[in-house]
Amino acid sequence: MKHYLHINNVENLQKTVEEAIELKKNELEFSELGKGKTICLLFFNNSLRTRLSTQKAAQNLGLNVVVMNFGSEGWQLEYEDGVVMNQDKAEHIKEAAKVIAQYCDIVAIRAFASLTDKEKDRAEIVLESFKKLAGIPVVNMESATGHPMQALADAITMEEYKVAEKPKVVLSWAPHPRALPHAVANSFVEMMQLQNADFVITHPEGYELDEEITKNSKIEYNQKKAFENADFVYVKNWSSFKNYGKVDNTDENWMINGDKMAVTNSAKFMHCLPVRRNVVVADEVIDSENSVVIEQANNRTYSAQIVLKRILEDM
Amino acid sequence: MKHYLHINNVENLQKTVEEAIELKKNELEFSELGKGKTICLLFFNNSLRTRLSTQKAAQNLGLNVVVMNFGSEGWQLEYEDGVVMNQDKAEHIKEAAKVIAQYCDIVAIRAFASLTDKEKDRAEIVLESFKKLAGIPVVNMESATGHPMQALADAITMEEYKVAEKPKVVLSWAPHPRALPHAVANSFVEMMQLQNADFVITHPEGYELDEEITKNSKIEYNQKKAFENADFVYVKNWSSFKNYGKVDNTDENWMINGDKMAVTNSAKFMHCLPVRRNVVVADEVIDSENSVVIEQANNRTYSAQIVLKRILEDM
Amino acid sequence: MKHYLHINNVENLQKTVEEAIELKKNELEFSELGKGKTICLLFFNNSLRTRLSTQKAAQNLGLNVVVMNFGSEGWQLEYEDGVVMNQDKAEHIKEAAKVIAQYCDIVAIRAFASLTDKEKDRAEIVLESFKKLAGIPVVNMESATGHPMQALADAITMEEYKVAEKPKVVLSWAPHPRALPHAVANSFVEMMQLQNADFVITHPEGYELDEEITKNSKIEYNQKKAFENADFVYVKNWSSFKNYGKVDNTDENWMINGDKMAVTNSAKFMHCLPVRRNVVVADEVIDSENSVVIEQANNRTYSAQIVLKRILEDM
């Protein structure tokens, strides 16, 4: 693997998931693989799971880890060509990306959507700039439009908990007070399109994700109907894509509760976290024995580790 | 040792102090003990000594260290049960603690007192939540009501400098412009209650510490009388406990100066640092040869190291 | 080498540069040299290149690295003697420096100029306090008046790219919207004074650097004349030294463009970065094949590594 920017950068998803599960059993098996090499984790946004799990994964592989919070420890970058840089941006990505690349062997980046400029967000300017300029492997730790490290952890988790060869999987929107990005939902959809599953997306009308991503994935506007006989219920809020970045709907009736889970096939409850209890999901669901959110978060270490392992092997 | 939340988690204080002093002579002796294991240091408050000494101690034991500043790098956590999380808190401790625990083998936490809600502070909600939920060893790097890592460093320092079998030790309040927590004073008192010493606490009337902690420890309101023939003078400001978190008294006459030290038995001057010179203590005292504040800070490495060593040995 | 505070702390610049170039070919050759030792990187100001390259260099030498951002993770320090510390400074440098020194073997510090108090800045109070008090090697990661790690990287870069035994080297001021310190320019001048070169400084009248530093270095106020037949053009903005810290001049005509470079001897374009494109330098110059800014930044790793190697060897 050269870069890990998109779930499609994984050549064989099923095989990768199985290898990650093997790795989990003996996480220090390849602790010499990264020796003498350095990974830089660049955070343009806050993070908990990604910050800790990626460091853990990198250290399990023997990599040196350098963490930088661009906002508080660095300065603003310019991404446009030809600009007269006399405002608040102190450095151009052309220099920053090339320079950073010289101090490390792999660079992992978190750079959220603006949620104000759809086309800019879709252009994935931060990630694509590093990919174009850095000349070293670039890893997506959640970008404007995708979170493939989460999607891979989700695939690992579903492999561990699935009871049917072709499970029914529902991605459900849920309400949230703030405008959240589409990245997690997008990557989950893209990952599901690679799986042998009966996959349904449910959300209020008007909350359609980017059609270029959802393609022919089935959409069911009736949440309860979508949940019927589901084996996995994956919940996530996102802001409107059509009315870009806006919170048009906070309908409490879309919160996941026990009544809704009751019509499923004892579905596993999944969420990428952090989650707002009793807004996105009722305590009774997230605290139930069918909730696998903690195990899902744990698999973030192994999705990062299998990705970094593949990258190291191909260097 | 399972957790280190309180000085009483040390089984045999005297033996532990002696072992720490041995460790200090050859701090890399157990550099293989933590190999392949990770400690997460979670800071909900700023830190200098604790930040650096705990990292040093962990690295001396071969541990991987991951540092996270929750305020600037993460988000606010909810600690109450059953809350509808539609305000400013993005994640519940129930998820955060369990998730973090999966990425490390030991978690060390700094979470100061609010100084606004006495009962909440006494409940030690951050530390106790991690203890209850994380399922891995939890280490106190200063909590709402205690700083046992400091108290253990203090015990090491007193062992190194004591000239009598049963020294006279004075804990003296001193003035300070800001409201400070009780944690250091509390843990010092609790540690002294385990020692063979003539122990006296001195402070202005109304500045009594929590009686459940001071118990039968002697209180002498006349500071100079308390200092007579002292072998160790341990100085610390704290805000009012009765009038919780308030600064009722900034009486400059309580500052430690040479005249006061003159009535001691050439007492060693101790303070946990940071200290405000010429407010808490006069230059003439902290710069004197009887001041052991630097050595005391140095022992923070060895109190952390002996605690982490015990925890690693019992894993 | 005991400390690295000034380019003059390098005993033999030419030999050091050659050794750094050797080190670059096999950067892990001395990866055991720092084993069991710790370097603390203290940042009183933001950083990208210095932060990453110094960590890389230290890890290449096997050192443990601890990073602390004093502003966001610590508190303000007092540097004056005898002060009654009842204002906003929580700790005196006398304690901080001695304490930090006990937790590490080398301390590296970034502490920029205030640009408001010339005498205080020239006194280099942060660096000198650590040098005086810490008792361990102190490394300058850019101070009020110097950036010798950058100057050493510049010397390495010029050695790699020089085509003449005695090249013509121009240090040119360029416009910038904000008030910038003199540190980089100062150390470059001091480094050039140790070189066999035809060295010229060019800047608008009134923008003279500290005469105690420039000494007899040639100043040419006509920028284009200065550029004639130059082999290296080193560009940097600085605020006024005379009218201390003020931006008296933002004359766009001083920006480096292709016309100016055309009169040079195909000069290499150098800048320490970050650089504002089309303010300090036109795209056509920084994007040309004569621009060596990326290679120059890369050499920051090797200037740091040769300095740390020398310090470790002399411990």
Side-chain angles (χ1 to χ4, degrees), chain A residues 4-19:
Chain A
Y4 188 60
L5 302 175
H6 191 277
I7 188 76
N8 289 335
N9 295 139
V10 170
E11 245 181 65
N12 182 324
L13 181 60
Q14 182 58 27
K15 195 162 161 279
T16 303
V17 164
E18 285 165 12
E19 271 187 47

Side-chain angles (χ1 to χ4, degrees), chain C residues 77-224:
Chain C
L77 298 182
E78 176 63 63
Y79 293 92
E80 302 292 328
D81 275 354
V83 172
V84 176
M85 291 172 60
N86 57 5
Q87 298 302 311
D88 49 2
K89 291 169 181 169
E91 183 156 18
H92 201 283
I93 184 66
K94 285 186 188 176
E95 278 72 57
K98 288 180 193 164
V99 164
I100 290 167
Q102 296 181 114
Y103 304 142
C104 48
D105 301 280
I106 303 173
V107 61
I109 299 164
R110 163 160 286 201
F112 286 178
S114 68
L115 291 182
T116 55
D117 184 331
K118 187 190 285 196
E119 289 324 309
K120 238 181 186 167
D121 286 348
R122 290 174 99 183
E124 290 284 12
I125 197 163
V126 182
L127 240 59
E128 289 301 322
S129 296
F130 272 92
K131 182 186 169 188
K132 183 178 154 196
L133 297 163
I136 60 170
V138 180
V139 172
N140 183 345
M141 296 197 299
E142 189 172 343
S143 67
T145 66
H147 196 353
M149 207 64 106
Q150 179 66 52
L152 183 51
D154 298 338
I156 295 167
T157 309
M158 288 196 288
E159 178 68 19
E160 292 178 322
Y161 286 97
K162 78 175 178 193
V163 289
E165 262 310 291
K166 192 183 173 183
K168 180 174 178 186
V169 179
V170 184
L171 169 62
S172 179
W173 182 90
H176 196 284
R178 292 180 52 215
L180 297 192
H182 310 90
V184 168
N186 286 346
S187 289
F188 186 76
V189 169
E190 290 165 326
M191 181 272 289
M192 284 312 302
Q193 289 167 350
L194 301 171
Q195 300 272 29
N196 179 32
D198 175 12
F199 179 55
V200 189
I201 309 172
T202 185
H203 52 69
E205 288 194 50
Y207 262 79
E208 288 74 18
L209 291 163
D210 186 347
E211 279 177 27
E212 288 186 28
I213 287 169
T214 54
K215 289 171 187 158
N216 296 322
S217 288
K218 197 171 141 191
I219 298 174
E220 167 58 65
Y221 295 108
N222 182 321
Q223 191 187 32
K224 204 145 185 180

Side-chain angles (χ1 to χ4, degrees), chain B residues 28 46-49 51-53 55-56 59 69 177 273-279 283 286-287 293-295 297-298 300-301, chain C residues 36 38 40 64-66 68 70 72-75 82-92 94-95 98-100 102-103:
Chain B
L28 296 178
N46 283 12
S47 169
L48 190 162
R49 270 153 291 278
R51 183 181 295 277
L52 301 184
S53 66
Q55 286 188 66
K56 180 78 182 299
Q59 290 176 337
N69 300 303
L273 306 180
V275 70
R276 287 171 178 252
R277 284 171 168 255
N278 304 312
V279 174
D283 282 341
I286 194 169
D287 289 332
V293 295
I294 304 301
E295 293 76 7
N298 189 29
R300 291 294 307 278
T301 301
Chain C
T38 300
C40 281
N64 290 323
V65 181
V66 173
M68 179 166 174
F70 243 81
S72 60
E73 300 177 333
W75 38 74
V83 172
V84 176
M85 291 172 60
N86 57 5
Q87 298 302 311
D88 49 2
K89 291 169 181 169
E91 183 156 18
H92 201 283
K94 285 186 188 176
E95 278 72 57
K98 288 180 193 164
V99 164
I100 290 167
Q102 296 181 114
Y103 304 142

Side-chain angles (χ1 to χ4, degrees), chain A residues 90-118:
Chain A
E91 184 157 15
H92 201 284
I93 184 67
K94 284 186 188 174
E95 279 70 57
K98 287 180 193 165
V99 165
I100 290 167
Q102 295 181 113
Y103 303 142
C104 47
D105 301 281
I106 304 171
V107 61
I109 300 164
R110 163 160 287 200
F112 286 177
S114 67
L115 291 183
T116 55
D117 184 331
K118 188 191 282 197

Side-chain angles (χ1 to χ4, degrees), chain A residues 234-248:
Chain A
Y234 193 99
V235 179
K236 183 75 190 80
N237 169 271
W238 57 85
S239 57
S240 176
F241 181 74
K242 203 182 285 180
N243 188 11
Y244 194 64
K246 293 294 178 291
V247 178
D248 290 337

